[in-house]
Amino acid sequence: MTNSTFILLIVGLPFLSFLLLILSSGSKLTQKVAGQIATLLMAVTFFFAAKLSLNYFASHLTQQTAELLVNYTWLEFGSGLAINMGVLLDSSSSMMLLVVTFISLMVHIFSLGYMHHEERIANYFAFLGLFTFSMLGLILSSNIFQIYIFWELVGVSSFLLIGFYYHKSSAVAAAKKAFIVTRFADLGFLIGILILGYYGESFDFTTLISRLGDVNSPQYKQITMAGFAGIQALSWGLILVFIGGAGKSAMFPLHIWLPDAMEGPTPVSALIHAATMVVAGVFLVARLFPIFTVATAAPLQIITYIGAFSALFAALIACTQTDIKRVLAYSTMSQIGFMMFSLGVIGDNGAGYNASLFHLFTHAFFKSLLFLGAGSIIHYVHSNEMEDMGGLRKKMPLTHISFLIACLAISGIPPFAGFFSKEAILHAAYTSNKMVFFVGIITSFLTAFYMFRLYFTIFWSIPEYPKTNEHGEGTWSMKLPLMVLTLASILVGFIPFSKYVNSNGIPVEGHLEIVFSIGPVLLSIAGILLAAYWFKTANTKPQRLAISMGNAFVWVRNKFYIDQLYLYITKEIVFKYFGKTAAYIDKNLIDGFYLSLAHFTGYFSFFIRGIQSGNVQHYALYFFGGILGLVSLLFYLLSY
Amino acid sequence: MTPVGLPHILFLSSCLFFIGMYGFFTRRNLITILMSLELMLNSVNINFVAFNKYLYPQNLSGIFFTIFIITIAAAEAAVAIAIIINLFRSSNSIDVIDAKEMKH
């Protein structure tokens, strides 16, 4: 089979699963076998994706060139500007192909057990298929317009999945919030696309990068000459594209949708957080990375500082949350912040880029493991609140072990996956930007602290009124993904990642600075010990500390009141002033104009309807009058 | 006594035309209206013949037109009479005042 057949199958099968299940979701039989069908199709997809991406890596050992597998002109604007539909396979998309299909498969398998009581299970698996399809389309897109189409599809499918429990008003609100916030950010993305496409005279990634990534090309000169409000057009384009990425990747201040997105089923959170939606922004910036590096420093600086700030900000909030999924949500935001600032600090020889994608890779495994573990716990306890959990170590041994390993991985303890990527990021930051490096290690300390706070409260400390359950840990279909992902979280760190995935296609030998990593690892261990001291047994130390911190704690616990700020701005300012004015204009001026037009027509016709008397002779009279008028007009015109 | 010239004939045809027009607008009986219409058509016929004879005696186009108009007038009279008969059947009258279905 050729590569394009592979691609067709990889992208087509999840879509087939979506179509099949959504069209037949009414029948009882489909409801019964929906999960099995979707999982089977996903397994086949994963098989082909793995084959394709391993083929790619095997055949591109020394030089990772981008391959344009499919190319088809979709919309032609003339003068050489056209929107193509194609498939671009390079090292980063091959890597993502592997991650997305693998995580999606794990989530499918987990959902078999987790969701099997659901009524609308066929719809659920259909939406999972659509989500996977859109994400695969996004990573394989050969041009920036195509990526935008799939980008929106990802938005739609996440909307469908977050709002899956549509009978809960909070889920509906969360789905709307996620959609509107990311859609708002996508406005920036679209304008950015148009700026880059207009000056680059192309939408293709490869052409765009070769033109705008080269300081001597005429297009580059043109885009740097143009500007608006004192900022170069190139910087504008890149910053606007980044705003789109920040919306999807939940960077401050567009992060508000992410914690609320927890209203969806837990496996969906695993998919959104680990492999699909939130890493789309990182992937986008990585795709356009060569342009970022030649542009003025401003866009990359913005990415760096927003990334670093989001990382710290989210880590602080995560320390105070009590809903297990919200803690994980903020930890995702924090880790994505890591990836973002790692892209921003270029590092030596593209080290930041490599480290960022490496972290994306490892994060996918341990974060999906954490979410699936959380799903398993929620399935057992029937609650999201950490207060209802405790002492689960004995009752859920497998979940306990996998959760512990995932926590160690995310905290950056060797030899688990997160250690390698996080050290690479910190090292890249250390060599380029000391301030960001310090933010990074503080965040990494906080990460260890809040993850183990979660771990100890769930599995060790025993609450006053523990909830007991008779049923076991879960079905085999819930245990299997946990085991596989645990194994992955241990092993994937040892992959010499920068040899395969790097910014310019030339393999870089990854190296580990042992001396450098001692500090961050010790800090992480300190975070773990601190968490153990406070949370290993049920006691009042945390409460006393929280009270002694006073208002600061309340601020952090309420997420710095960012949500309230947004609500205030939208309700009190936007709705009250702009919305009401617009509504007034719409109702009275615009509607009024058309209504008065209609009224005028009505009155006028009422007035003149007497002409239609029904008497034939009157009509004949008008007719003669008309002829007389025409003839006199003719005479008048001819007399000149 | 002056010979009959074009102006005389045109005067005659104009008189005929306006008599027809007057009848068309004032009569209530549909048959009379039809007759007035024929009167107007014939005045036009006279015009055609007169112009042909006095202005272009070598041509016959005006005569042709007249013959056409007479033919068409015959057909038109047939259609009009048919309409009038149907009207009479439905409203039992051939008064134009009674045919007011085309009102607003």
Side-chain angles (χ1 to χ4, degrees):
Chain A
M1 275 199 281
T2 59
N3 279 349
S4 34
T5 327
F6 271 133
I7 294 286
L8 198 69
L9 283 171
I10 290 168
V11 181
L13 285 178
F15 192 65
L16 179 75
S17 143
F18 164 67
L19 278 185
L20 202 67
L21 294 179
I22 200 84
L23 290 179
S24 65
S25 62
S27 85
K28 285 244 166 61
L29 182 72
T30 316
Q31 298 290 350
K32 249 181 221 158
V33 296
Q36 282 79 352
I37 294 175
T39 312
L40 192 70
L41 284 173
M42 203 55 233
V44 178
T45 311
F46 169 66
F47 172 74
F48 286 126
K51 210 162 163 166
L52 181 70
S53 87
L54 294 180
N55 270 353
Y56 176 84
F57 286 123
S59 58
H60 294 79
L61 269 181
T62 49
Q63 174 82 32
Q64 274 106 29
T65 45
E67 272 183 47
L68 198 61
L69 291 181
V70 181
N71 200 19
Y72 152 76
T73 307
W74 180 58
L75 250 186
E76 195 149 8
F77 297 126
S79 76
L81 189 63
I83 296 180
N84 291 348
M85 286 284 155
V87 169
L88 183 74
L89 194 67
D90 66 356
S91 53
S92 57
S93 55
S94 301
M95 183 274 287
M96 287 293 288
L97 205 59
L98 206 59
V99 172
V100 172
T101 49
F102 180 69
I103 303 292
S104 179
L105 178 62
M106 289 301 130
V107 168
H108 271 79
I109 296 175
F110 188 84
S111 302
L112 281 179
Y114 188 83
M115 299 294 285
H116 82 280
H117 293 304
E118 273 321 309
E119 239 171 69
R120 292 160 63 235
I121 189 166
N123 292 46
Y124 171 78
F125 277 101
F127 295 155
L128 276 190
L130 181 66
F131 204 169
T132 315
F133 160 73
S134 357
M135 194 61 200
L136 288 171
L138 193 152
I139 57 181
L140 290 171
S141 292
S142 72
N143 75 60
I144 196 164
F145 225 95
Q146 193 186 351
I147 220 172
Y148 185 69
I149 293 170
F150 284 105
W151 188 268
E152 294 299 333
L153 269 177
V154 169
V156 170
S157 32
S158 71
F159 169 80
L160 291 171
L161 282 170
I162 295 168
F164 182 71
Y165 299 126
Y166 63 87
H167 44 83
K168 265 165 60 187
S169 61
S170 58
V172 175
K176 271 197 289 190
K177 194 174 182 183
F179 193 71
I180 292 170
V181 171
T182 52
R183 198 51 216 107
F184 175 73
D186 292 346
L187 179 67
F189 185 22
L190 183 60
I191 300 172
I193 289 174
L194 294 179
I195 292 176
L196 293 182
Y198 177 75
Y199 286 104
E201 292 164 11
S202 167
F203 290 112
D204 284 344
F205 280 122
T206 31
T207 327
L208 212 55
I209 286 168
S210 69
R211 282 179 185 165
L212 296 182
D214 173 14
V215 276
N216 297 318
S217 71
Q219 282 87 2
Y220 181 85
K221 288 195 175 110
Q222 211 182 355
I223 197 170
T224 43
M225 291 279 281
F228 176 72
I231 301 173
Q232 268 181 19
L234 182 59
S235 304
W236 269 115
L238 293 175
I239 290 168
L240 285 167
V241 166
F242 172 66
I243 287 177
K248 274 269 186 299
S249 287
M251 289 290 100
F252 181 86
L254 297 168
H255 65 278
I256 50 162
W257 65 270
L258 190 67
D260 287 17
M262 295 296 111
E263 289 293 342
T266 314
V268 171
S269 311
L271 196 57
I272 291 182
H273 285 256
T276 52
M277 191 146 164
V278 294
V279 296
V282 180
F283 182 74
L284 181 70
V285 175
R287 259 274 192 259
L288 294 172
F289 191 68
I291 306 181
F292 276 101
T293 49
V294 295
T296 48
L300 274 183
Q301 295 265 317
I302 288 175
I303 292 177
T304 312
Y305 289 116
I306 285 186
F309 180 74
S310 304
L312 184 61
F313 176 81
L316 277 175
I317 296 176
C319 294
T320 60
Q321 297 299 303
T322 56
D323 181 324
I324 169 172
K325 282 170 84 182
R326 274 180 193 267
V327 175
L328 292 178
Y330 279 108
S331 92
T332 302
M333 181 182 160
S334 175
Q335 299 304 310
I336 302 282
F338 262 88
M339 296 173 205
M340 279 291 181
F341 81 66
S342 173
L343 281 174
V345 301
I346 301 169
D348 298 333
N349 198 8
Y353 176 94
N354 303 345
S356 171
L357 288 188
F358 192 19
H359 198 56
L360 194 164
F361 182 68
T362 57
H363 174 254
F365 295 103
F366 55 72
K367 184 47 65 66
S368 53
L369 178 54
L370 282 171
F371 266 110
L372 295 185
S376 186
I377 294 163
I378 291 167
H379 188 255
Y380 184 79
V381 188
H382 297 293
S383 164
N384 282 10
E385 287 297 319
M386 280 158 71
E387 293 160 15
D388 298 333
M389 303 159 186
L392 295 179
R393 192 175 73 240
K394 295 269 167 56
K395 292 173 188 153
M396 320 181 71
L398 183 81
T399 313
H400 168 236
I401 295 293
S402 55
F403 209 84
L404 173 63
I405 286 171
C407 284
L408 287 170
I410 198 174
S411 313
I413 305 294
F416 301 103
F419 163 73
F420 296 94
S421 51
K422 196 175 263 182
E423 290 316 301
I425 287 181
L426 289 176
H427 191 258
Y430 181 74
T431 50
S432 342
N433 193 333
K434 291 279 192 300
M435 196 180 111
V436 172
F437 168 71
F438 283 118
V439 173
I441 55 169
I442 292 168
T443 311
S444 146
F445 166 74
L446 286 173
T447 308
F449 172 71
Y450 68 71
M451 285 320 295
F452 276 87
R453 165 175 172 262
L454 197 62
Y455 167 75
F456 284 120
T457 356
I458 295 172
F459 291 103
W460 289 78
S461 78
I462 294 169
E464 257 176 273
Y465 309 104
K467 283 198 171 183
T468 48
N469 265 309
E470 296 313 314
H471 65 77
E473 248 188 296
T475 54
W476 63 270
S477 60
M478 287 166 73
K479 283 180 186 165
L480 178 75
L482 291 183
M483 289 191 271
V484 175
L485 284 168
T486 308
L487 209 62
S489 301
I490 299 170
L491 295 178
V492 291
F494 293 101
I495 294 172
F497 192 80
S498 54
K499 242 167 101 177
Y500 296 118
V501 181
N502 38 58
S503 55
N504 48 12
I506 297 155
V508 183
E509 276 301 327
H511 50 83
L512 208 57
E513 307 274 336
I514 304 288
V515 185
F516 172 78
S517 20
I518 290 173
V521 170
L522 282 180
L523 259 178
S524 294
I525 291 173
I528 295 173
L529 292 178
L530 193 65
Y533 172 67
W534 275 333
F535 298 104
K536 194 167 170 200
T537 50
N539 57 43
T540 52
K541 276 177 265 173
Q543 277 93 330
R544 272 186 277 134
L545 182 77
I547 291 164
S548 70
M549 274 159 77
N551 274 339
F553 184 80
V554 179
W555 263 73
V556 180
R557 179 169 205 147
N558 287 312
K559 308 150 208 165
F560 294 96
Y561 295 103
I562 299 283
D563 279 294
Q564 280 78 357
L565 183 71
Y566 269 98
L567 269 184
Y568 179 79
I569 290 175
T570 47
K571 281 216 170 120
E572 297 293 316
I573 297 174
V574 177
F575 288 171
K576 203 168 186 176
Y577 295 104
F578 297 97
K580 276 198 176 158
T581 322
Y584 179 83
I585 290 174
D586 185 55
K587 261 190 203 144
N588 293 307
L589 287 182
I590 298 176
D591 279 8
F593 174 69
Y594 288 105
L595 281 179
S596 63
L597 215 62
H599 278 295
F600 175 73
T601 315
Y603 281 126
F604 188 68
S605 46
F606 185 79
F607 177 66
I608 60 165
R609 70 179 186 161
I611 293 173
Q612 191 103 359
S613 63
N615 191 335
V616 186
Q617 283 163 321
H618 288 173
Y619 300 161
L621 199 60
Y622 307 143
F623 177 70
F624 273 104
I627 286 183
L628 215 60
L630 280 179
V631 168
S632 47
L633 186 72
L634 203 67
F635 270 113
Y636 174 74
L637 290 176
L638 288 181
S639 62
Y640 283 106
Chain B
M1 189 167 160
T2 49
V4 177
L6 187 59
H8 297 94
I9 297 175
L10 287 186
F11 178 73
L12 171 74
S13 75
S14 306
C15 285
L16 265 182
F17 186 83
F18 284 107
I19 290 166
M21 198 166 157
Y22 175 76
F24 187 79
F25 286 130
T26 53
R27 292 285 140 177
R28 294 289 178 243
N29 190 318
L30 278 170
I31 305 272
T32 330
I33 290 175
L34 190 63
M35 283 158 68
S36 319
L37 204 69
E38 295 295 325
L39 219 54
M40 287 195 280
L41 279 175
N42 283 331
S43 78
V44 175
N45 280 350
I46 292 171
N47 262 7
F48 268 118
V49 175
F51 282 127
N52 193 36
K53 180 169 169 26
Y54 285 97
L55 300 182
Y56 305 102
Q58 70 277 15
N59 287 355
L60 285 175
S61 340
I63 311 284
F64 287 157
F65 263 111
T66 314
I67 291 169
F68 266 118
I69 290 171
I70 289 168
T71 326
I72 287 169
E76 179 231 300
V79 172
I81 299 272
I83 291 173
I84 291 167
I85 290 170
N86 273 312
L87 204 66
F88 181 74
R89 278 186 182 159
S90 67
S91 61
N92 219 5
S93 146
I94 50 166
D95 199 321
V96 76
I97 301 289
D98 293 334
K100 273 194 170 171
E101 277 89 38
M102 292 190 289
K103 213 175 167 182
H104 53 79

